[in-house]
Amino acid sequence: MSNLDLARWQFAITTVYHFLFVPITIGLSAMVAGFETQWLRKRNPEMLRLAKFFGKLLLINFALGLVTGIVQEFQFGMNWSAYSRFYGDIFGAPLAFEALLAFFLESTFLGIWIFGWGRIPEKLHAACMWLVHIGTLLSAYFILAANSFMQHPVGWKYNPTTGRAELTDFVAVLMNKVQLVTFPHVIASAYLVGGGVVMGVGLWLLHKHRGTKDSQMYRKAARIGAVVTLIAGVGVAVSGDIQGKIMTEVQPMKMAAAEALYTTQNSCAPFSLFTVGSLNGQSEKASVKVPCALSFLATGSINGKVDGINDLKKSLPAQLQRQARADGIPAQYSQPADAVYTPNIPLAYWSFRLMIGVGMASTVVALGVLWITRKGRTTLAKPWVWVGILVPLLPVFGNSFGWIFTETGRQPWLVYGVMTTATGVSNVGAATVLTSMVVYTLLYAALAVVEIKLFLDYTRRGADPAPPEDGSASDSEHDAPAPVSFVY
C-alpha cells in the first residue's frame, strides 16, 4: 500500500472508532439531564437513581471519546499536512472554536456535575448537565461546519501569492447550506442513539430485576428510551430527506453512487431496497425497488430527474474544473491524477442502505418495547432480553455507516471539486504511516476492551439501591456531602 492508502485507512479506523462515542455522549447527556430535571419536578426518587446510573455510563463513554478525539486533530498534521497547509486557516477556525468554547463548556460543567452532588443547589446541579449537553451540541456544530466545508466549500478564496486558501467569510462557513441540513440530521441520530442505549439497558435490567421493586423503574427507563427513539427516528427520517435533496444539488455523483444509478432517469426513478449486481456493479441480477422513491428523495418530486453515473462522468469533470479555474486553484490540486471522478460504488450503495436499515430497525424495536411494557407489564419473553442487548448497537452502527457513506461518497475529493485526496497527504513514507496506524489500532483495541468491560460492569450493577419507603432520604441523599468515588 502507498502512504495515501495507509493514511486513508488510518483516518477511517480512528474516525469510525471515535464516532462510536460521540452520538452516545450527545444523546445520553440529554437523557441524564432529563432524568434529573424530572426528579426536581416530581421528586420521584426513581428518576434520581436513573440520572445517577446513566450518568456513570455517560462518564465512561465521555472519557473514551475524549481520548480518541485528540488523535483526530493530531493526524491532520501528521498524515494530511499538505491539506492542513492549504486549507488550515479555514478548516482550523471551527476546530479552534470547538476546542476553546464547546469542549471547555462540556468538560467544565461535567466536572462540576460529578463533584457537585450535595455541594451546590439542586437546580444549579441539574443545569450543569444541561450545559454539558449544550456543549456537546456546540461541539458537534463546529465539527460539522468544518466537515461541511469539505463537502461544499464556501466563504474562502485562493491566494496565489501564498499558495494557500484564505477565509473570507466565517459566517458563510458556519451557515453553509450543507451544514444546516447535516447538523439536525446528526443530532437527531445522536438522540436516536441515546434513546436506544437507555431503552436497551432498561430492557436488560428489567429482565434481570423482574419480580423486584426495581422492575417498575427499569420499565420506565425502557419506555422513556423507546419514546425518545421513536421521536428521534422521525427526526432522522425528515432531516435525512432534506439532506438528500441538498446532497443531490451539491454532489450529484454521491446520490448516483448511493443508488448505483448508472443511467440517468428522467422521471420516477426507483429506489432499490436490495440489489444483487455484477462484480463491476454495472448490471443487476435481482432487485427489489420502490417506484419513484429515488426521484422524491433526490428532488422532492416523483417526476424529478436523477442523473446517472455514466452521464455525470461526462459532464462533471468539465464543470468542476471550470469552477476550479474560476477560483484560481492550481490544476495539480483540482484534477484527479487518474481522471476517476466516481467513489467506490458498492461501498456507497451498501453503507447508505445499512445506515437507513439499522436506523429504521431501532424505531421498529421501540414500538415493540412500548407494546410489551404496556399497562405496567414487567415480564419479558426471552427474545426481548437479546433485543435489549442488541438495540443500543443498531443506532450506533447506523451512525457509523452514515459517516462512511458521507466521507467515501465524496471521493476522490478531499475538498469537493477543488482539492483531491491524493494531493492532501503528507510527504512521508508508507512505513511511517503504517507504524502510527498499527500503534493507534492496537491502542484503540485496548481502549475498546476497557470501554466494554467498564460499560458492562456498571450496567450489571444497575442503579443505586432504592431509598427508604418514606422517601425522606431522597432529599437528604442529594443534599448531604457524598464521598468522591468513580462519579460522586
Side-chain angles (χ1 to χ4, degrees):
M1 286 188 180
S2 66
N3 64 334
L4 173 62
D5 295 329
L6 291 166
R8 291 183 65 187
W9 268 109
Q10 180 174 321
F11 193 85
I13 292 169
T14 55
T15 301
V16 169
Y17 187 86
H18 172 62
F19 203 72
L20 296 176
F21 305 105
V22 173
I24 299 177
T25 300
I26 296 173
L28 210 50
S29 60
M31 300 293 293
V32 172
F35 284 133
E36 190 172 357
T37 302
Q38 190 66 11
W39 174 73
L40 285 175
R41 291 183 65 236
K42 304 287 185 179
R43 291 294 171 178
N44 182 345
E46 291 181 344
M47 292 296 109
L48 179 61
R49 294 171 65 202
L50 288 175
K52 290 186 175 183
F53 169 62
F54 284 104
K56 292 176 185 176
L57 302 185
L58 168 66
L59 293 176
I60 295 169
N61 187 79
F62 183 85
L64 269 292
L66 170 64
V67 172
T68 56
I70 293 173
V71 175
Q72 300 306 306
E73 297 183 18
F74 176 64
Q75 67 178 326
F76 281 116
M78 184 175 62
N79 289 343
W80 302 100
S81 59
Y83 166 74
S84 298
R85 178 190 174 279
F86 196 85
Y87 280 110
D89 291 353
I90 306 167
F91 191 78
L95 293 185
F97 273 88
E98 191 272 337
L100 296 175
L101 176 62
F103 180 67
F104 179 79
L105 191 66
E106 291 175 64
S107 303
T108 300
F109 285 98
L110 186 60
I112 296 174
W113 188 83
I114 293 171
F115 297 105
W117 289 100
R119 295 178 174 86
I120 61 176
E122 295 170 355
K123 291 182 180 178
L124 179 59
H125 189 269
C128 287
M129 182 51 73
W130 282 115
L131 288 170
V132 171
H133 180 59
I134 292 171
T136 65
L137 297 180
L138 288 173
S139 180
Y141 194 89
F142 289 122
I143 293 292
L144 290 172
N147 182 267
S148 295
F149 175 82
M150 299 170 75
Q151 309 288 343
H152 180 58
V154 294
W156 70 286
K157 69 175 183 180
Y158 176 69
N159 186 334
T161 303
T162 62
R164 302 177 63 193
E166 295 179 350
L167 182 66
T168 58
D169 189 346
F170 188 49
V171 174
V173 174
L174 295 180
M175 301 300 287
N176 188 337
K177 61 183 176 182
V178 172
Q179 160 77 351
L180 295 181
V181 294
T182 301
F183 179 71
H185 187 60
V186 170
I187 296 306
S189 302
Y191 291 147
L192 188 75
V193 172
V197 170
V198 172
M199 175 172 61
V201 171
L203 268 184
W204 190 79
L205 289 173
L206 172 59
H207 175 73
K208 183 179 178 183
H209 293 265
R210 60 189 182 282
T212 70
K213 61 182 180 181
D214 284 344
S215 60
Q216 282 297 335
M217 179 182 69
Y218 293 122
R219 172 182 168 274
K220 287 179 185 175
R223 288 181 66 81
I224 291 171
V227 171
V228 171
T229 300
L230 274 178
I231 296 173
V234 174
V236 169
V238 173
S239 59
D241 176 67
I242 299 171
Q243 190 181 23
K245 292 167 178 56
I246 297 297
M247 181 179 73
T248 306
E249 179 186 333
V250 301
Q251 294 183 26
M253 183 63 84
K254 185 185 284 187
M255 177 55 83
E259 180 58 25
L261 182 70
Y262 282 87
T263 305
T264 297
Q265 300 290 310
N266 290 316
S267 68
C268 197
F271 179 82
S272 63
L273 299 177
F274 179 84
T275 296
V276 177
S278 60
L279 290 177
N280 63 9
Q282 298 197 22
S283 63
E284 66 179 40
K285 306 296 183 184
S287 183
V288 178
K289 297 182 178 179
V290 179
C292 304
L294 181 63
S295 283
F296 183 80
L297 178 63
T299 68
S301 168
I302 60 173
N303 294 316
K305 176 186 175 183
V306 184
D307 292 325
I309 295 169
N310 292 334
D311 287 325
L312 286 171
K313 287 174 71 174
K314 295 175 184 175
S315 62
L316 203 55
Q319 175 190 334
L320 293 176
Q321 289 172 23
R322 189 165 52 249
Q323 182 61 47
R325 283 196 297 272
D327 293 335
I329 305 298
Q332 69 267 25
Y333 290 118
S334 59
Q335 293 182 18
D338 51 5
V340 173
Y341 283 80
T342 57
N344 184 306
I345 304 300
L347 183 60
Y349 179 88
W350 285 111
S351 59
F352 191 65
R353 273 146 193 79
L354 289 169
M355 171 189 70
I356 297 173
V358 295
M360 292 181 66
S362 304
T363 57
V364 171
V365 169
L367 281 173
V369 169
L370 289 176
W371 174 255
I372 65 165
T373 57
R374 68 190 186 282
K375 299 180 180 177
R377 300 182 182 185
T378 57
T379 302
L380 301 178
K382 193 70 175 179
W384 283 106
V385 181
W386 289 104
V387 169
I389 296 171
L390 178 64
V391 72
L393 300 177
L394 290 176
V396 171
F397 288 153
N399 273 264
S400 296
F401 287 127
W403 273 110
I404 290 171
F405 168 71
T406 299
E407 297 304 289
T408 59
R410 189 185 60 232
Q411 298 301 317
W413 306 103
L414 197 54
V415 178
Y416 185 73
V418 292
M419 185 177 200
T420 62
T421 303
T423 56
V425 73
S426 299
N427 185 25
V428 296
T432 302
V433 184
L434 179 63
T435 301
S436 59
M437 186 177 80
V438 170
V439 170
Y440 284 138
T441 302
L442 292 176
L443 176 63
Y444 278 21
L447 290 174
V449 173
V450 173
E451 156 80 8
I452 292 171
K453 186 175 187 311
L454 285 175
F455 198 93
L456 292 181
D457 283 349
Y458 279 90
T459 299
R460 288 192 193 98
R461 295 180 192 178
D464 293 338
E469 289 296 330
D470 61 6
S472 59
S474 62
D475 292 337
S476 59
E477 182 183 356
H478 191 280
D479 295 335
V484 178
S485 58
F486 170 68
V487 181
Y488 328 109

